[in-house]
Every structure is written in C-alpha cells, then in structure tokens.
Amino acid sequence: MRKMTVSVQVDAEKLRAIQFYTGRKDTSMEAELKDCVNKIYEKYVPAQTREYIESIGAVERPSRTSRSVPQPRPENIGERHEQ
C-alpha cells in the first residue's frame, strides 16, 4: 500500500527528551508513533473495513513465491558434467 506522511508539531525540548529516552529503551519515537497509529486504526476502523483494506494490500504486494530462486531437482544433485 502507498505510504503517507503525517506531521505533528512538538515542543523541541519534549522531542529531544523523547528521542533520548526511547533510544535508551532500544526503540524510537517513529516506532512508538507507528504503534500508536495501529492502535488508533484498530480502535476506530470497523473490522470489516480493516479486512477489506488488508485484502487490497495483499493483492498489491507481489507474492514471495513468484520471486523464488529455482531449486535444483533431486535427480540433478551430484551430477557431474564431463566434456
């Protein structure tokens, strides 16, 4: 799905403090905000709508199996090609 950016104005000192303390907990403000957005999404968006949106996202993403590297067939393993 396409990503969008949300801007929020925050007091500079508060932002520095958040960045400092989230860094000490091995996380980031961005990660915490993403978590908050997901919680808001789950709280307010009806389940049927979330299911629909997620199904659209699944169609847009190419499947990983379509990009897989072909594996050697068992009968070809260990064969030597003499010339």
Side-chain angles (χ1 to χ4, degrees), residues 6 17 19-20 22 24 28 36 47 56 64 76:
V6 177
Q19 290 170 330
F20 176 77
T22 54
R24 292 181 73 182
S28 66
C36 287
I56 292 171
R64 291 180 176 252
N76 293 340

Side-chain angles (χ1 to χ4, degrees), residues 24-59:
R24 292 181 73 182
K25 298 282 186 178
D26 292 326
T27 188
S28 66
M29 184 170 172
E30 291 82 6
E32 293 294 320
L33 288 171
K34 285 179 184 180
D35 185 48
C36 287
V37 168
N38 284 329
K39 287 178 182 175
I40 293 168
Y41 174 74
E42 290 176 2
K43 181 177 181 178
Y44 291 104
V45 178
Q48 289 179 324
T49 304
R50 292 194 314 260
E51 186 178 317
Y52 172 73
I53 290 170
E54 290 164 13
S55 71
I56 292 171
V59 171

